[in-house]
Amino acid sequence: MKNGTLATKIMLAAIFLTVLVYFGVNLAAYFSDPYTITVAFSYTGENAVTVSGYVVRDEEVLEGGGDLVYSSRGEGERVSKGGTVALIYPTVQALNDANTLRDLTSQMEQLQYARSLAAGSQASARLDDEITKGLTDFRAALAGGGMDAAAEAGEGLRTAILRRGYAYSGAGGLDATIESLSGQISALTASAETDVTRVSAPKAGLFSGLVDGYESVLTPESIREMTPSGYKDIAPAGVSGVGKMVYGDEWSFVTMMRSEDVKRLEEGDTVTLRFQKGMDRDMEMKASYISAEEGGRRVVVFTAQKYLHLATLLRHQNAQVIFESYDGVRVPRSAVRVAMQEVTDENDQPVLDSQGNPKQQSVTCVYCLWGDTARLKPVKVLWQEDDYILVVPDEEALSAFTAEKTRESRRLRAGDQVVTAAAELYDGKVVQ
């Protein structure tokens, strides 16, 4: 019994020593390998500040309102002078009847279209494409947060599905349905209220259904005289209406910025603004007005002359003002070094100076894995942050390699494995 116990203890001790040696060897290997590798990747660096401000347009509120209004125009839709933008009904029943009549008329148009397609397989395939596109547009609108765009895409999708359903069933059953709808439409049209108030556009422009009280407070004229103290006093006026008309092609974004940030701007400069919501693209805008300084702050007005139809619902917004943008390759700060680089000829042989020594030049560079060795790649620094540097290949330094094959092998690219830490590093050193 004692022999068995002793053998067990010896076996356990052997296993323990084996595990200890295993971890010891791996730990020693870890500390003896001073090289750390990371992958370089394409990146865009931006010199930007975040601000808060107001979107300003040339706007006119259309009088009227209440619960009996039907807007006949979509958000941002262009309307000619005198065009109807809304209808005000005298009673709830009149509004309900008018909405029912509009629905029935829409159904009639869809049924007539479906009847014309019922016998055509090619048309049915076209409807399948419309449904697929409608699903894609609806999903994209929801992902972008645009509820108006989502509602429009959803209506288009619903229409395409309805038409496709009738196209499958054939034209035989459609005639009776169309005849029934036609009778309902005629009856509602005959009994419809005639005492309906039409709201028309005073001038040609874009229609918007949102009235927020800033229309008379923030005007294109007033913001170009605004001071920081005036900006702080901005408040909406009490106003209501059935909607508003937006005129012209120009719109602006007024904000208050720190004077140290405004030093990078002059009136007339063009910068990029990226709105946090409501605008699905970066906007190139001109700094059209910069106020005098008050308390380290200045009012700045940025102006654009396109995409006004996308800005009709925007008012209070946060945005990034992007002064500069840099496209390059992102590498860790620790990977960028200064080293001496040999100049070579078209045969990849060292170029000698007047004294017969290999000619060298000092370059900013990174070292990348090239097989199992480190290869120097000259770079030019575009942008620096605390933990990374944005670089591009240094074309001037690369020209020192006369052979095209060698020059291209020295060019830094996204996806290269960059050496970020090493006790000693030089071109051609074995690192793996």
Side-chain angles (χ1 to χ4, degrees), residues 325-345:
S325 176
Y326 307 95
D327 293 319
V329 179
R330 175 170 168 163
V331 298
R333 177 177 286 274
S334 59
V336 180
R337 303 164 181 267
V338 176
M340 299 303 296
Q341 161 195 293
E342 282 193 354
V343 179
T344 60
D345 60 18

Side-chain angles (χ1 to χ4, degrees), residues 52-361:
S52 178
Y54 300 88
V55 173
V56 181
R57 303 162 289 259
D58 182 8
E59 303 168 312
E60 179 181 3
V61 175
L62 303 174
E63 295 182 359
D67 298 327
L68 305 178
V69 176
Y70 169 76
S71 296
S72 59
R73 303 288 181 166
E75 184 66 35
E77 182 179 346
R78 186 163 294 280
V79 183
S80 60
K81 180 180 179 180
T84 300
V85 297
L87 301 172
I88 304 177
Y89 291 88
T91 64
V92 174
Q93 185 61 47
L95 176 60
N96 291 338
D97 289 346
N99 287 333
T100 301
L101 181 58
R102 277 185 281 269
D103 289 340
L104 293 176
T105 303
S106 176
Q107 290 179 41
M108 173 69 80
E109 292 173 353
Q110 293 164 11
L111 291 176
Q112 290 173 337
Y113 181 79
R115 183 171 59 181
S116 68
L117 299 179
S121 59
Q122 183 178 1
S124 297
R126 186 168 70 247
L127 281 173
D128 289 338
D129 292 339
E130 286 185 21
I131 292 172
T132 301
K133 183 179 182 301
L135 284 168
T136 303
D137 293 344
F138 184 60
R139 180 178 179 180
L142 287 178
M147 292 301 103
D148 286 332
E152 183 177 347
E155 178 62 23
L157 176 61
R158 186 183 72 86
T159 300
I161 292 173
L162 180 63
R163 288 173 174 174
R164 189 65 179 93
Y166 281 118
Y168 267 125
S169 63
L174 291 175
D175 292 336
T177 306
I178 291 175
E179 185 176 352
S180 174
L181 279 178
S182 179
Q184 295 178 56
I185 291 172
S186 298
L188 276 175
T189 302
S191 63
E193 289 274 2
T194 57
D195 189 17
V196 178
T197 302
R198 296 182 179 272
V199 181
S200 303
K203 296 189 295 185
L206 303 181
F207 174 76
S208 174
L210 176 65
V211 176
D212 57 15
Y214 288 99
E215 291 81 8
S216 59
V217 176
L218 295 171
T219 66
E221 296 76 24
S222 66
I223 59 174
R224 283 173 173 76
E225 299 176 352
M226 188 171 286
T227 63
S229 56
Y231 181 89
K232 294 177 182 178
D233 293 336
I234 292 175
V239 65
S240 62
V242 299
K244 62 190 176 188
M245 293 298 298
V246 182
Y247 302 125
D249 298 314
E250 184 175 282
W251 60 281
S252 301
F253 179 70
V254 58
T255 183
M256 188 160 61
M257 300 174 62
R258 297 183 304 172
S259 295
E260 59 188 87
D261 293 329
V262 181
K263 286 179 181 179
R264 291 177 277 185
L265 277 177
E266 292 184 0
E267 288 189 7
D269 286 351
T270 298
V271 295
T272 300
L273 268 72
R274 179 177 300 147
F275 294 95
Q276 291 188 357
K277 58 182 180 180
M279 183 73 69
D280 61 354
R281 67 198 69 198
D282 291 350
M283 290 296 306
E284 296 292 321
M285 304 186 77
K286 182 175 70 174
S288 57
Y289 169 75
I290 300 175
S291 75
E293 181 181 359
E294 286 184 14
R297 304 275 177 171
R298 294 175 184 266
V299 172
V300 182
V301 175
F302 298 98
T303 302
Q305 293 185 332
K306 59 182 180 179
Y307 301 122
L308 175 61
H309 65 287
L310 300 179
T312 57
L313 285 176
L314 304 186
R315 185 64 79 186
H316 194 266
Q317 287 282 307
N318 293 327
Q320 280 187 304
V321 180
I322 303 171
F323 297 102
E324 296 170 299
S325 176
Y326 307 95
D327 293 319
V329 179
R330 175 170 168 163
V331 298
R333 177 177 286 274
S334 59
V336 180
R337 303 164 181 267
V338 176
M340 299 303 296
Q341 161 195 293
E342 282 193 354
V343 179
T344 60
D345 60 18
E346 61 275 4
N347 297 316
D348 204 21
Q349 298 299 312
V351 174
L352 304 181
D353 60 19
S354 58
Q355 299 178 351
N357 298 318
K359 190 175 181 181
Q360 295 184 325
Q361 62 181 5

